[in-house]
Amino acid sequence: MAGRKTRSTNEILVDILNELAEHTDSEHGLTVKELSNRVGATEKTVHAHLQLLEAQRPMGRTVRRLTATDMRQADSADARPGWCMEPAIDVAELRLFGDGLALSRIDEEYARESYDRLRVLAGFAGAHSQGLRNIRVPKPYNREFLSNVENLDEAISGRHVVSFRMCDYAVDGSLTLRIDSESGKPREYRADPYQMTYRNGMYYLLCHMHGKNGVAFAHVDRIRDLRIVEGVRQECPLEELHAPDGSPFSLADYLAERLYPWTGQAEDILMHVSSLSCIYDWFERPSVSRVDARTYEVAVHADPQTVLWWALQYSDNVDIDIVQPQSLRDAMAAVGRRLVERYGSGSGEDDI
């Protein structure tokens, strides 16, 4: 009778690592006996490997034995003693990464596969996660989206120039290449990419468009035929940009000053509001003081056009009075007049 094949030390070690990584965390362990049964090795062999892993911290993650003190301090109702590996990410991080995948407008199958890979990094909690729910592939789905993100990341890291075409929407919601009005051919853009960022549920590339001034937003979901342009220097490297006051340009400040992806000049804006929820939900560093029992004075530095759009969405249930600048007050008044002309009394066909 042929004997059972002897497993190598490396095979046993890898199996132990996999069991610890996928089925333990700082409150849920596996005993030596349980690991022995799972990996098909003697308890003596398993214990020796665990001591080795404890000393070496594989992949920078702590391997240790949970003690009685750990069990008393555990928050989980089903905490159990034994050996564990510290998860690479915790439950909160897993949830946030998962929500990011759900918002990213990518293929449903790929999103779920990516989340399953993340669950492994969360150990025991990841294995018991319910996974992603309520995901659907967006109708104007761009199959080049993921490769765009990968290539843009490479271009940003290497400070390369990129070339691409932009799409617009057809009547049925499909993506169609934007056509140059003069040549009649798909229009090609070149840009110096700086950063990718989410804004209002969409993914944008913050960049400098060649032949234009300043910084622009490009909707990554609508980019096609993207490639890195070799041998061409950036027209406007990020380190050469400056803020209006001459100070070094800050992408973080630039984004904070724009509530929507818009590239106007930020200004000092003073307003009176009746609620602070709409302020702190949107503005990063507002200066707020109380005027009376129902009014707050708020000062922000922001793009006026984006503040106008922001104010309009709250106009039916929050009192927002733009005090300064006068140009923004005038713009608000102009929008109000257009709304009255369209929807005011006497504007409908059925009005008597």
Side-chain angles (χ1 to χ4, degrees):
M1 180 176 178
R4 187 174 61 179
K5 181 180 178 182
T6 303
R7 305 184 65 214
S8 71
T9 298
N10 287 340
E11 288 176 325
I12 296 173
L13 190 59
V14 168
D15 285 349
I16 292 174
L17 277 172
N18 286 335
E19 291 294 331
L20 293 175
E22 295 184 27
H23 303 293
T24 71
D25 61 21
S26 57
E27 295 188 354
H28 302 87
L30 290 172
T31 65
V32 172
K33 183 176 182 178
E34 288 172 327
L35 284 168
S36 173
N37 291 333
R38 288 175 179 235
V39 304
T42 66
E43 293 183 24
K44 180 179 179 180
T45 298
V46 169
H47 190 265
H49 285 320
L50 288 171
Q51 290 182 315
L52 177 65
L53 293 172
E54 184 178 28
Q56 292 187 344
R57 300 188 72 248
M59 299 171 288
R61 296 166 66 176
T62 299
V63 173
R64 67 185 182 92
R65 186 172 62 85
L66 296 173
T67 65
T69 300
D70 294 319
M71 294 298 97
R72 288 193 296 269
Q73 296 175 349
D75 295 324
S76 301
D78 60 345
R80 62 179 187 234
W83 285 83
C84 74
M85 174 183 280
E86 176 186 75
I89 59 175
D90 60 29
V91 177
E93 291 169 328
L94 174 65
R95 186 67 263 168
L96 290 173
F97 289 144
D99 290 342
L101 287 168
L103 290 171
S104 61
R105 298 167 64 87
I106 61 176
D107 178 76
E108 178 182 352
E109 182 179 354
Y110 184 89
R112 294 189 186 280
E113 289 176 354
S114 298
Y115 188 74
D116 287 341
R117 289 193 290 270
L118 288 170
R119 291 171 66 174
V120 174
L121 298 178
F124 177 87
H128 291 77
S129 170
Q130 294 182 343
L132 297 184
R133 295 182 174 183
N134 301 319
I135 299 180
R136 64 175 62 185
V137 179
K139 186 174 182 180
Y141 176 56
N142 184 355
R143 296 189 179 279
E144 298 177 26
F145 175 75
L146 290 171
S147 61
N148 286 343
V149 172
E150 182 177 350
N151 290 329
L152 285 171
D153 183 71
E154 179 183 347
I156 292 169
S157 300
R159 300 186 179 185
H160 298 301
V161 173
V162 293
S163 170
F164 55 85
R165 295 186 171 94
M166 291 298 300
C167 290
D168 294 315
Y169 293 116
V171 174
D172 63 356
S174 60
L175 294 171
T176 60
L177 291 175
R178 184 176 298 171
I179 303 300
D180 185 277
S181 59
E182 296 182 0
S183 68
K185 298 179 180 179
R187 184 176 178 182
E188 183 174 298
Y189 298 84
R190 283 194 175 187
D192 304 331
Y194 300 144
Q195 179 179 318
M196 289 177 283
T197 181
Y198 267 106
R199 269 293 180 272
N200 313 114
M202 300 293 180
Y203 206 41
Y204 290 92
L205 170 67
L206 202 60
C207 62
H208 166 75
M209 291 288 195
H210 285 199
K212 304 291 184 179
N213 294 322
V215 178
F217 288 92
H219 192 177
V220 178
D221 293 83
R222 292 199 273 133
I223 289 177
R224 286 270 178 85
D225 303 327
L226 185 140
R227 63 185 180 86
I228 294 175
V229 182
E230 301 291 349
V232 177
R233 296 185 61 183
Q234 289 195 344
E235 188 174 273
C236 186
L238 180 59
E239 60 270 16
E240 294 182 11
L241 286 175
H242 292 86
D245 62 1
S247 62
F249 182 80
S250 167
L251 285 174
D253 289 343
Y254 188 84
L255 291 169
E257 293 166 355
R258 285 151 184 83
L259 308 182
Y260 298 92
W262 193 252
T263 57
Q265 184 65 51
E267 300 179 27
D268 291 330
I269 297 173
L270 185 67
M271 68 185 93
H272 290 162
V273 301
S274 60
S275 171
L276 292 181
S277 296
C278 63
I279 297 297
Y280 285 107
D281 281 350
W282 285 81
F283 296 95
E284 187 173 298
R285 291 190 294 268
S287 176
V288 180
S289 60
R290 184 181 287 277
V291 175
D292 55 41
R294 295 187 299 176
T295 309
Y296 302 91
E297 183 171 89
V298 180
V300 297
H301 189 69
D303 183 325
Q305 183 65 52
T306 66
V307 173
L308 183 151
W309 294 331
W310 162 83
L312 287 175
Q313 69 180 318
Y314 287 106
S315 60
D316 66 333
N317 62 358
V318 177
D319 289 333
I320 298 176
D321 177 18
I322 303 296
V323 179
Q324 296 176 355
Q326 184 61 43
S327 58
L328 180 53
R329 290 178 60 87
D330 294 341
M332 294 284 292
V335 171
R337 286 192 293 271
R338 288 198 296 273
L339 291 173
V340 170
E341 290 172 2
R342 175 161 296 184
Y343 302 107
S345 178
S347 63
E349 295 180 357
D350 296 332
D351 290 333
I352 299 176

